[in-house]
Amino acid sequence: MQSSHSLLGSFLRSAAVVVIAGMPMSHAVAEEPIPLAAFFSHPEIGAARLSPSGKYLALTVPGQDGRLALAVVDSGLSKPPVVVAADRRVDIKSFQWVNDDWLVYDLIDLQMGGGDQRFGSGLASVRREGGAARMLINPSWGTPSETGSRIASSGLNWRHRLLDVPLSGGNEVIVGEQHLDNVGELVSVTPKRVDVATGRVTATVLGYPTYATEWIFDHEGEARVAASWRDGAVEMFWHPKGAGEWRSLVHAPFSQLSWGPVAVDASDTLYVTTRTAESTSVLTRFDLKSGAPEAQPIASAPGFDFSGDVLLSASGKVVGVRLETDAETSIWFDPHRKALQQLADQRFPGRINRISCGNCDGEFALVRSYSDRAPGDYWIYHEKTGDWLPVGSVRPAIDPRRMATLDLHRIKARDGEDLPVWVTTPQQKADGPRPAVVLVHGGPWLRGTRWEWDAAAQFLASRGYVVIEPEFRGSRGYGFDHFRKGWKNWGTTMQDDVADAARWAASKGLVDPKRICIAGGSYGGYATLMGAIRYPDLYRCGVAYVAVTDPRLLFANTWQNDYNREMREFSTPLLLGDPVKDAELLKAAAPVERAGEIRIPILMAVGQEDRRVPIEHGTRMRAAMRASGHEPEWIVYEDEGHGWLKAENRIDFWKRVEVFLAKQLR
């Protein structure tokens, strides 16, 4: 059997950190603190994918100068991988197989900060064996000749992006040209077909709806659904296969839209998510005759909104559904894939085992096996021999046995509303209740946590902290009612939910009520600062990074703010508050207006080039806290945007957090 060491060893920076999936580590190593870099460095394997036939495996691995390269190997792992795309100046960001002979990939510079990254990451194609590389979309930082790349260019400008890779094969992919108005706002997206071998570009949609910016394609790459967002309303359009006019299915304010498109199969069935009487969404079919979703669901997850994918074969047949409850699960309608899933679950019990097998009539299947304690291992299953071939680990320096457990609890908030709360509990023994960090997710209008390994939560747990992550009202994924009850409630009931989660954990003896810190980024940073204001006796300290400190600044129409017109004028006024009608509400919800009420130690970190939450949020808050005599600890990452893209900055930040928490929660 080929080991993951021999497969990837020539690409890894240090063979000493390679751990074959399932191989135990020595007890001597287990007694040492897990290094920060194990959590926050870039993964050893960014992604791995089988070719459509299943005969070949492509994966991103460390290449020259630590850059992520794209490599290909036969699925039997009989020979070392061959690097087919690599550059000392940039990293492979993501990739997809087009067919068994061609791949496409885009680029990113992981040695630059997020603020230095340009908007267009380009798109290149390369043959499976290497060679014939072609830049299909030039990156925004220049043409291949300007960057010194030995790669042919088709000349498409950086305002294009990849939209779809047809499942049916062929040499074409679908890209979209983004049309902007005179102030840089997105107006529409025009799909085009691009031949990955020649760079030839052809039109793919004629007579498409005005202002369409979102598209759904069938397995052959034909546009079937278009969505137009305009003046706070959404219009969905349907196009019959082959010919005919685009038909409007619905036109409504986005807040009133009760269904959304997911996929189209070969039988011309449109699959959508729609809300039930219980407010959660389910997957169902759309009845084109009546113009409404069918009442009978195909897939549902009680207590959760449907979130996932309709899985199609190369011929466009539905073979399964992948969805999330607390964790991801796959429901297979295809007997072969169902049998493979059962084999994987037997081989790796207690884990999520995501299988893929190309067209699933070959010899091999790829399995990514992961859990709350395991970042993930890749395996090849050889169907003819029954052998499991280890490809490698996403983070080989992480020993799952030393990681914390993650559990979802459904509790009641003070007013009786349902409140999902995630708790990460360290493995190491404790003499009494542990100190805790309440980690508040950003967004805030999204789902925060799912049952999988998370670097921040696991790092904090490795240092002895229980991590509490509340899905406060306003969070997505737990029903429309839960989401709706967060509208215009920044700093009020949303903040109360965070405090209720912390107090619940203390009441259950899970944490020491006298040693709780609150932390988070973006909206989570806002909640940290407002938590210090609203609940000064609950939290001992706070860590706020890229934090919103004045919600009113989110409406600023400047080049420093990347909120588009739809967000500024329609969605944000509805969800957060109207800057004119709700002026007093927004003022009361601004931590910068109440900085004098903060009495606990605060660590603040900002990105100099942040365009989602510009640095003005941080500098004004720092000045206000300094004026009140409680200046925060302050960090500026000059080359970063809304978060830390560079591994060295992530490591530096979390080291500072580690020192800060140890001092405040000792």
Side-chain angles (χ1 to χ4, degrees):
M1 179 182 292
Q2 188 104 7
S3 74
S4 61
H5 180 99
S6 60
L7 173 62
L8 301 179
S10 60
F11 302 102
L12 298 175
R13 290 185 287 273
S14 172
V17 301
V18 177
V19 179
I20 299 175
M23 177 180 288
M25 298 178 68
S26 70
H27 292 295
V29 174
E31 294 172 355
E32 297 295 324
I34 303 171
L36 265 163
F39 297 92
F40 298 109
S41 61
H42 300 307
E44 294 287 2
I45 301 177
R49 291 189 173 89
L50 286 181
S51 67
S53 72
K55 294 180 180 179
Y56 306 101
L57 174 69
L59 64 167
T60 50
V61 295
Q64 303 176 68
D65 299 330
R67 295 293 192 178
L68 278 181
L70 179 61
V72 175
V73 64
D74 68 279
S75 295
L77 311 185
S78 60
K79 297 178 181 179
V82 174
V83 171
V84 299
D87 195 304
R88 288 192 297 270
R89 295 172 296 278
V90 290
D91 302 89
I92 306 300
K93 181 180 180 182
S94 61
F95 69 89
Q96 291 191 57
W97 287 94
V98 180
N99 51 50
D100 260 32
D101 296 320
W102 287 93
L103 301 100
V104 290
Y105 61 91
D106 56 5
L107 306 169
I108 191 170
D109 188 346
L110 293 175
Q111 295 180 17
M112 296 174 65
D116 294 325
Q117 301 293 329
R118 303 301 185 257
F119 301 109
S121 56
L123 184 72
S125 60
V126 66
R127 289 190 62 86
R128 164 179 46 84
E129 65 273 15
R134 175 177 294 275
M135 191 65 74
L136 306 174
I137 301 173
N138 293 325
S140 62
W141 54 84
T143 64
S145 60
E146 292 171 332
T147 61
S149 301
R150 298 177 181 178
I151 188 169
S153 172
S154 70
L156 285 177
N157 65 51
W158 64 268
R159 288 191 177 89
H160 292 75
R161 60 184 175 87
L162 181 66
L163 297 181
D164 186 66
V165 177
L167 294 171
S168 58
N171 275 10
E172 292 183 326
V173 298
I174 312 299
V175 303
E177 181 179 7
Q178 302 175 82
H179 303 282
L180 310 179
D181 63 16
N182 57 3
V183 294
E185 296 275 1
L186 180 66
V187 175
S188 63
V189 175
T190 303
K192 304 175 181 179
R193 288 183 178 268
V194 180
D195 189 300
V196 299
T198 66
R200 182 174 61 91
V201 181
T202 56
T204 184
V205 179
L206 297 176
Y208 60 87
T210 306
Y211 305 123
T213 57
E214 298 178 12
W215 299 86
I216 290 179
F217 303 87
D218 63 20
H219 67 290
E220 294 180 328
E222 184 176 341
R224 309 303 305 282
V225 179
S228 170
W229 294 72
R230 197 74 174 171
D231 296 336
V234 184
E235 188 166 12
M236 299 286 183
F237 299 88
W238 166 259
H239 190 269
K241 188 171 182 61
E245 300 293 325
W246 285 89
R247 167 189 167 190
S248 178
L249 297 180
V250 65
H251 186 201
F254 79 91
S255 61
Q256 298 176 19
L257 193 65
S258 61
W259 63 269
V262 177
V264 179
D265 70 10
S267 68
D268 250 15
T269 300
L270 171 61
Y271 296 85
V272 301
T273 58
T274 186
R275 287 204 301 269
T276 66
E278 291 75 28
S279 96
T280 53
S281 64
V282 300
L283 179 72
T284 189
R285 299 175 181 86
F286 191 87
D287 187 334
L288 290 165
K289 292 183 179 180
S290 67
E294 293 182 359
Q296 182 64 36
I298 298 171
S300 62
F304 299 88
D305 288 317
F306 177 88
S307 176
D309 301 298
V310 174
L311 305 175
L312 302 175
S313 69
S315 63
K317 179 182 178 181
V318 176
V319 294
V321 173
R322 183 167 287 137
L323 72 156
E324 283 189 331
T325 54
D326 53 343
E328 178 183 285
T329 186
S330 297
I331 302 171
W332 296 107
F333 309 138
D334 172 66
H336 185 203
R337 290 172 172 86
K338 185 175 182 179
L340 288 173
Q341 186 71 59
Q342 291 172 344
L343 285 171
D345 292 343
Q346 290 169 5
R347 181 66 173 79
F348 308 109
R351 288 189 172 205
I352 305 302
N353 300 302
R354 174 182 279 215
I355 66 167
S356 57
C357 51
N359 58 25
C360 284
D361 58 7
E363 297 182 51
F364 303 100
L366 176 68
V367 177
R368 179 176 183 259
S369 180
Y370 68 95
S371 72
D372 57 339
R373 300 174 65 187
D377 306 303
Y378 283 100
W379 294 80
I380 292 284
Y381 176 63
H382 192 175
E383 295 191 52
K384 289 186 177 180
T385 66
D387 289 337
W388 289 90
L389 311 178
V391 176
S393 297
V394 174
R395 292 185 178 273
I398 292 292
D399 180 1
R401 297 173 304 173
R402 300 182 63 190
M403 295 293 98
T405 57
L406 175 64
D407 296 290
L408 175 62
H409 302 264
R410 309 296 285 252
I411 71 171
K412 295 293 184 183
R414 67 188 66 182
D415 58 0
E417 291 295 327
D418 290 327
L419 177 57
V421 179
W422 296 88
V423 178
T424 302
T425 307
Q427 285 292 307
Q428 57 265 46
K429 294 181 179 180
D431 294 333
R434 294 181 173 94
V437 176
V438 179
L439 192 59
V440 187
H441 71 72
W445 304 294
L446 48 75
R447 175 169 168 169
T449 308
R450 47 195 41 82
W451 195 79
E452 62 185 6
W453 188 89
D454 177 76
Q458 289 289 347
F459 168 68
L460 292 169
S462 76
R463 271 43 180 178
Y465 303 105
V466 172
V467 181
I468 304 164
E469 298 177 88
E471 300 279 12
F472 45 85
R473 65 196 76 186
S475 301
R476 296 270 198 172
Y478 301 91
F480 183 78
D481 287 349
H482 189 71
F483 166 54
R484 174 66 180 83
K485 287 171 182 174
W487 295 6
K488 297 188 179 182
N489 276 315
W490 281 38
T492 56
T493 54
M494 293 170 72
Q495 198 68 47
D496 294 339
D497 285 350
V498 175
D500 288 352
R503 287 174 168 164
W504 166 83
S507 72
K508 296 297 182 181
L510 302 177
V511 304
D512 184 346
K514 297 181 179 179
R515 293 189 294 163
I516 300 175
C517 185
I518 184 171
S522 194
Y523 173 83
Y526 166 88
T528 294
L529 297 171
M530 190 56 77
I533 294 166
R534 291 279 317 280
Y535 295 98
D537 297 329
L538 179 60
Y539 305 114
R540 284 267 293 271
C541 58
V543 178
Y545 45 104
V546 294
V548 176
T549 69
D550 189 343
R552 297 167 296 188
L553 293 178
L554 298 177
F555 299 95
N557 186 11
T558 69
W559 67 270
Q560 294 172 307
N561 186 352
D562 70 355
Y563 267 44
N564 60 31
R565 174 176 170 269
E566 288 293 316
M567 298 171 69
R568 292 192 311 270
E569 297 184 12
F570 299 101
S571 62
T572 305
L574 177 70
L575 301 175
L576 173 57
D578 186 280
V580 176
K581 298 177 182 177
D582 301 312
E584 289 304 313
L585 180 151
L586 293 175
K587 180 178 180 180
V592 71
E593 294 280 357
R594 304 175 63 178
E597 299 177 50
I598 296 179
R599 291 290 181 266
I600 63 174
I602 298 289
L603 171 66
M604 290 189 69
V606 297
Q608 180 72 45
E609 305 299 325
D610 193 343
R611 295 183 67 243
R612 177 50 51 98
V613 180
I615 193 173
E616 181 184 0
H617 284 262
T619 55
R620 286 179 54 188
M621 189 71 193
R622 182 192 187 196
M625 291 181 65
R626 180 193 297 135
S628 69
H630 287 84
E631 184 170 1
E633 293 191 30
W634 179 252
I635 311 166
V636 178
Y637 293 107
E638 296 183 355
D639 55 349
E640 294 283 16
H642 197 57
W644 327 133
L645 184 62
K646 292 176 68 174
E648 63 189 73
N649 287 341
R650 290 198 299 272
I651 293 170
D652 176 80
F653 171 72
W654 286 102
K655 180 61 181 176
R656 293 170 184 257
V657 171
E658 180 180 17
V659 172
F660 178 79
L661 292 177
K663 177 182 178 182
Q664 304 301 332
L665 298 180
R666 61 182 182 272

